[in-house]
């Protein structure tokens, strides 16, 4: 029996939330979406299968969230504007496991999340 993955997402923007929610549903998973860093950090304790962060939100401290996810053993997928190379570089420095341009992620969020979850599971077996 396959366990439905729980995806934790820090996605404050409604339209983006709806697209991610649809992708999680296509995976047969459950979305636990939050709008603040504080709520995100609280939800990490529930050991989600994956954390998703929208790098387009400049107020998000990707360095501290990436570190918190590493400490919790939760893989991270981040996406953001393809033109914001500094933000993508910061995400990689923060230990984010998967960084996608927003266009690629939004084209098929289910496939990106499925790949991240599968890759992470393969590393742990």
């Amino acid at each position: 029996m396959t366990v439905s993955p729980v995806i934790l997402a820090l996605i404050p923007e409604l339209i983006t939330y709806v697209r991610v929610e649809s992708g999680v549903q296509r995976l047969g998973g459950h979305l636990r979406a939050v709008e603040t860093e504080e709520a995100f950090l609280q939800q990490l304790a529930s050991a989600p299968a994956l954390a998703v962060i929208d790098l387009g939100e400049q107020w998000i401290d990707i360095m501290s969230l990436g570190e918190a996810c590493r400490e919790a053993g939760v893989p991270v997928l981040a996406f953001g504007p393809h033109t914001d190379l500094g933000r993508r570089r910061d995400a990689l420095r923060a230990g984010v496991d998967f960084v996608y341009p927003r266009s690629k992620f939004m084209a098929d969020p289910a496939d990106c999340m499925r790949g991240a979850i599968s890759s992470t599971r393969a590393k742990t077996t």
Side-chain angles (χ1 to χ4, degrees):
M1 182 165 123
T2 307
V3 176
S4 299
V6 174
I7 311 294
L8 172 61
L10 178 54
I11 301 177
E13 204 270 316
L14 181 61
I15 293 172
T16 304
Y17 164 82
V18 170
R19 297 284 299 272
V20 173
E21 180 182 43
S22 174
V24 170
Q25 288 173 348
R26 287 188 9 234
L27 288 174
H30 301 285
L31 179 63
R32 203 173 279 151
V34 297
E35 295 181 10
T36 67
E37 289 180 347
E38 294 79 20
F40 182 88
L41 293 170
Q42 289 173 347
Q43 290 296 319
L44 271 179
S46 68
L50 181 68
V52 176
I53 300 173
D54 184 351
L55 295 175
E57 300 294 337
Q58 296 297 316
W59 56 266
I60 293 174
D61 182 353
I62 191 61
M63 297 304 279
S64 67
L65 294 182
E67 181 178 331
C69 288
R70 269 195 327 276
E71 289 174 4
V74 175
V76 185
L77 180 154
F79 64 95
H82 73 279
T83 56
D84 194 345
L85 298 178
R87 192 81 164 134
R88 292 178 67 194
R89 188 173 36 251
D90 289 346
L92 292 170
R93 283 189 195 135
V96 171
D97 302 284
F98 307 91
V99 181
Y100 290 101
R102 181 179 184 83
S103 58
K104 178 174 174 67
F105 179 75
M106 295 305 282
D108 194 348
D111 188 53
C112 293
M113 290 184 286
R114 182 182 300 110
I117 292 168
S118 296
S119 177
T120 303
R121 284 185 183 152
K123 289 179 190 176
T124 60
T125 57

